[in-house]
Amino acid sequence: MEIIFFGTSAGLPTKERHTQSIALKLEPYATDIWLFDVGEATQHQILHHSIKLGKVSHIFITHMHGDHVYGLPGVLTSRSFQGGEGKPLTIIGPKGIKAYIEASLTFTHVHLNYPLHIIEIDQQLDLTIDQFEVQARMLNHGVPCFGYRIQAPSTPGTLDVAKLKAIGMEPGPQYQQVKKYDTFEFEGVTYDAHQFKAPDKLGPIVAVFGDTKPCDNECILAQNADVIVHEATYIEGDKQLANDYHHSHIDDVLELITRNNVKHALLTHLSNRYTKEDVKAIDQQLKASHTASFQFVHDFDAYQF
Amino acid sequence: MEIIFFGTSAGLPTKERHTQSIALKLEPYATDIWLFDVGEATQHQILHHSIKLGKVSHIFITHMHGDHVYGLPGVLTSRSFQGGEGKPLTIIGPKGIKAYIEASLTFTHVHLNYPLHIIEIDQQLDLTIDQFEVQARMLNHGVPCFGYRIQAPSTPGTLDVAKLKAIGMEPGPQYQQVKKYDTFEFEGVTYDAHQFKAPDKLGPIVAVFGDTKPCDNECILAQNADVIVHEATYIEGDKQLANDYHHSHIDDVLELITRNNVKHALLTHLSNRYTKEDVKAIDQQLKASHTASFQFVHDFDAYQF
């Protein structure tokens, strides 16, 4: 899978960073694209990428702050003209997202040419979408704010070809039966397929966090994740101040990923108080004193996993 | 004064053109900036210009289509952090603009730190703002849509220094009295000031049109204007088709400016069906067969008058 960052700023856009938006390419598990948050001008950023709006099947909103949703009306409208016609779109987000979208589209005389389905989360959500397991859990940001944990579908384990040959089964279409099912028949004998293949391989786990100060639900979302996307609004200075503003301090994030066995963290939502040089210098300092795997991201950075 | 184009596309943004937004710098008559329409990512464009959001005192909206208003919530929010604190802002637009803004700000938990005043136009509006005469007239675009005509304040005519010297008045602070008022006193005699200066110089006139097919109100707005900003969605092809979609054909625009003695027309709102080369070629063809003064504009083009 691949994560692409269309916006990595906090609160306001800057000359270098747009406000929040992330695309998740589901390949090789599916061909759809999922978006997480849609800051203003997300559609403009997408114009400069190979991703097409028509392939976006789901949009997940973490919370109802402008830097996370002001691009939504534009994305919804333009999707009608960019391959989205007739293709359903589902939006998942906190309460208020439905009324916000309906008001934006109604007052601007928009009639979408595809079915739009909006799911508002109350406290939490567990959902299976095309075999992807999605968990939404409430974070702590002063307004209702969610993090999303996504586990890709499991894939069948590798076949033990030597063992299959030992019972006389040569490579061919029958191997698919062994791979897909719990049992298979060969020359009148029923076999336990699990004896002839490695255990199913669990799909990778990604967690995308909305803005938040540290909270217990963060651990549920981050546990053993292959990659997390987390805010890094305060990458230095007073931890208490960061938390008072319902944000995480960089120390909180590093603790989260270390405690929860996260393989890699992509740090976004950077405050405009930091220059490029600041971020680079702080990154070097942090990497000298921490073993956790992480990186600060910029607009159009991509991460495959 | 100066007009700056932040967005010149029609309907959707393209890689080269953002959706509609125009700034009017009022200098030398005033230091404020007025915006006309606020397409998505207007605030991003402004980041790349010397204009500051805090100097924007009035925003005029032509109509409630997304390519003219989706940048409004972002501009209003960011203005709080970019010099706008405590400085009143007035928004003028069609019915629905107030509810759209209130919904956008309320659902996204925004509290502006400056007074926001919203004027909804019913049929038409005549207003004086800091000695600028503003007229809004209804156009014909399928939804309520307005064009705005602005006349800058008049400036006092040049003094007839020879004549003033002839009555014994040498250049000095008293000349301001002659310039400013209808009468003045000098050495016990009251004079008619108009005998000693040229007539007041009328301020320049600019008209900014929303999308429209030709209609009578266009003439009221365009009459004797120094410059107009007009849509050019259809710069070739079938005139009837353009009008059926409630847009102007380029022939309509050229007729408008010729008939109404418009000094210069800035043509924006270009459809993404035309490449840069198309526009250049059509511009050359049109200029070969028309005497009217006009130009097709691009993002960040500026025009002084």
Side-chain angles (χ1 to χ4, degrees):
Chain A
M1 292 199 287
E2 187 177 14
I3 295 169
I4 302 126
F5 291 86
F6 291 127
T8 59
S9 177
L12 307 181
T14 69
K15 279 186 195 174
E16 292 84 23
R17 296 178 184 275
H18 281 224
T19 47
Q20 293 294 297
S21 186
I22 296 159
L24 178 65
K25 282 179 83 168
L26 303 183
E27 282 175 352
Y29 302 95
T31 54
D32 292 348
I33 308 284
W34 290 0
L35 292 184
F36 293 81
D37 287 336
V38 187
E40 185 176 353
T42 295
Q43 66 164 325
H44 298 63
Q45 296 286 81
I46 290 178
L47 285 175
H48 295 277
H49 195 276
S50 60
I51 281 178
K52 299 292 167 221
L53 276 181
K55 293 193 89 175
V56 174
S57 64
H58 291 74
I59 298 177
F60 301 82
I61 299 296
T62 62
H63 64 296
M64 294 295 296
H65 278 155
D67 56 328
H68 296 251
V69 299
Y70 281 164
L72 208 36
V75 158
L76 297 184
T77 309
S78 293
R79 187 179 182 272
S80 284
F81 304 97
Q82 288 172 8
E85 187 170 358
K87 292 185 192 165
L89 174 68
T90 301
I91 299 179
I92 298 169
K95 280 188 172 179
I97 183 76
K98 194 167 193 291
Y100 167 70
I101 290 171
E102 286 178 352
S104 299
L105 298 186
T106 305
F107 288 125
T108 56
H109 313 281
V110 173
H111 303 283
L112 302 177
N113 62 13
Y114 55 83
L116 179 65
H117 181 47
I118 303 172
I119 300 172
E120 291 194 334
I121 312 170
D122 185 6
Q123 289 301 313
Q124 65 176 59
L125 183 77
D126 293 271
L127 192 67
T128 305
I129 304 171
D130 299 335
Q131 300 188 63
F132 288 79
E133 299 296 333
V134 178
Q135 285 178 285
R137 290 293 180 273
M138 181 81 83
L139 302 174
N140 189 338
H141 187 50
V143 301
C145 181
F146 294 94
Y148 295 95
R149 175 186 171 96
I150 290 108
Q151 175 143 30
S154 298
T155 42
T158 316
L159 294 185
D160 188 337
V161 177
K163 221 169 167 182
L164 285 166
K165 281 185 175 173
I167 60 164
M169 191 192 272
E170 290 298 317
Q174 281 177 309
Y175 272 37
Q176 284 305 313
Q177 303 295 316
V178 185
K179 205 159 192 177
K180 276 189 178 168
Y181 301 105
D182 291 333
T183 60
F184 68 95
E185 275 195 29
F186 181 64
E187 293 180 347
V189 183
T190 302
Y191 291 92
D192 175 0
H194 299 289
Q195 301 299 322
F196 296 86
K197 61 188 176 186
D200 280 1
K201 198 182 160 200
L202 293 174
I205 296 165
V206 53
V208 180
F209 289 82
D211 302 2
T212 190
K213 65 194 251 187
C215 64
D216 291 344
N217 275 348
E218 286 214 282
C219 300
I220 296 173
L221 297 168
Q223 191 70 44
N224 298 321
D226 291 272
V227 59
I228 70 168
V229 178
H230 203 287
E231 66 135 307
T233 322
Y234 292 83
I235 60 174
E236 56 161 13
D238 186 13
K239 186 164 138 39
Q240 190 57 49
L241 184 75
N243 297 166
D244 287 349
Y245 282 109
H246 290 94
H247 280 288
S248 296
H249 187 274
I250 185 69
D251 291 347
D252 298 320
V253 187
L254 293 171
E255 196 180 321
L256 177 75
I257 61 181
T258 307
R259 278 206 186 174
N260 291 284
N261 191 34
V262 170
K263 284 206 189 109
H264 191 64
L266 301 166
L267 305 179
T268 181
H269 203 271
L270 285 127
S271 166
N272 64 10
R273 82 175 72 90
Y274 306 119
T275 64
K276 262 188 186 178
E277 291 68 35
D278 292 339
V279 174
K280 206 172 168 184
I282 292 169
D283 181 52
Q284 284 175 347
Q285 281 171 29
L286 291 168
K287 283 194 171 135
S289 55
H290 290 81
T291 54
S293 174
F294 66 89
Q295 69 186 92
F296 294 104
V297 294
H298 302 88
D299 287 16
F300 293 109
D301 277 357
Y303 180 80
Q304 293 184 328
F305 62 103
Chain B
M1 296 199 285
E2 186 178 14
I3 295 170
I4 302 126
F5 290 85
F6 292 127
T8 59
S9 176
L12 307 181
T14 69
K15 280 187 194 175
E16 292 84 23
R17 295 178 184 274
H18 281 223
T19 48
Q20 292 294 297
S21 187
I22 295 159
L24 177 66
K25 283 180 83 168
L26 303 183
E27 281 174 353
Y29 301 95
T31 56
D32 293 346
I33 308 284
W34 290 359
L35 291 185
F36 293 81
D37 287 335
V38 187
E40 184 175 353
T42 295
Q43 65 165 323
H44 297 64
Q45 297 286 80
I46 290 178
L47 285 174
H48 295 278
H49 194 275
S50 60
I51 281 179
K52 300 290 168 222
L53 277 181
K55 294 193 89 175
V56 174
S57 65
H58 291 74
I59 298 177
F60 300 83
I61 299 296
T62 61
H63 64 295
M64 294 295 294
H65 278 155
D67 55 327
H68 297 252
V69 298
Y70 281 164
L72 207 37
V75 159
L76 297 184
T77 309
S78 294
R79 187 178 182 275
S80 284
F81 305 97
Q82 288 173 5
E85 188 169 358
K87 293 186 192 164
L89 175 67
T90 300
I91 299 179
I92 297 169
K95 279 189 173 177
I97 184 76
K98 194 167 195 288
Y100 166 70
I101 290 170
E102 286 178 352
S104 298
L105 298 185
T106 305
F107 288 123
T108 57
H109 315 280
V110 173
H111 304 283
L112 301 177
N113 61 14
Y114 53 84
L116 179 64
H117 181 47
I118 302 172
I119 300 173
E120 290 194 334
I121 313 169
D122 185 6
Q123 288 302 312
Q124 65 177 59
L125 183 78
D126 293 270
L127 192 67
T128 304
I129 304 171
D130 300 333
Q131 299 186 66
F132 288 79
E133 299 297 334
V134 178
Q135 285 177 283
R137 290 294 179 273
M138 180 82 82
L139 302 175
N140 188 338
H141 187 49
V143 301
C145 181
F146 294 94
Y148 296 95
R149 176 185 169 99
I150 290 108
Q151 175 143 29
S154 298
T155 43
T158 315
L159 293 185
D160 187 336
V161 176
K163 219 166 169 185
L164 285 165
K165 281 185 175 173
I167 60 164
M169 190 192 273
E170 290 298 317
Q174 280 178 308
Y175 273 36
Q176 284 307 312
Q177 303 294 316
V178 185
K179 202 158 195 176
K180 275 189 179 170
Y181 301 106
D182 290 333
T183 59
F184 67 96
E185 277 196 29
F186 180 65
E187 293 179 349
V189 183
T190 301
Y191 292 91
D192 174 1
H194 299 288
Q195 302 298 323
F196 297 85
K197 60 187 177 188
D200 281 1
K201 196 183 160 201
L202 293 173
I205 295 166
V206 54
V208 180
F209 289 82
D211 302 2
T212 190
K213 65 195 249 185
C215 63
D216 290 346
N217 276 346
E218 285 213 284
C219 300
I220 296 174
L221 298 167
Q223 192 69 46
N224 297 322
D226 291 271
V227 59
I228 71 167
V229 177
H230 203 287
E231 65 136 308
T233 322
Y234 292 83
I235 59 175
E236 56 161 14
D238 186 14
K239 185 165 141 35
Q240 190 55 49
L241 184 75
N243 297 168
D244 287 349
Y245 282 109
H246 290 94
H247 280 288
S248 296
H249 186 273
I250 184 69
D251 291 347
D252 298 321
V253 187
L254 293 172
E255 194 180 323
L256 176 76
I257 61 182
T258 307
R259 277 205 186 173
N260 291 285
N261 190 33
V262 170
K263 283 207 189 109
H264 190 66
L266 302 165
L267 305 179
T268 180
H269 202 274
L270 285 126
S271 166
N272 63 10
R273 82 174 74 91
Y274 306 120
T275 64
K276 263 188 184 177
E277 291 67 34
D278 291 340
V279 174
K280 207 171 168 185
I282 291 169
D283 181 53
Q284 284 175 348
Q285 280 172 28
L286 291 169
K287 283 192 172 137
S289 55
H290 289 81
T291 54
S293 174
F294 66 89
Q295 69 187 93
F296 293 105
V297 293
H298 302 89
D299 288 16
F300 293 110
D301 277 357
Y303 180 81
Q304 293 184 328
F305 61 103

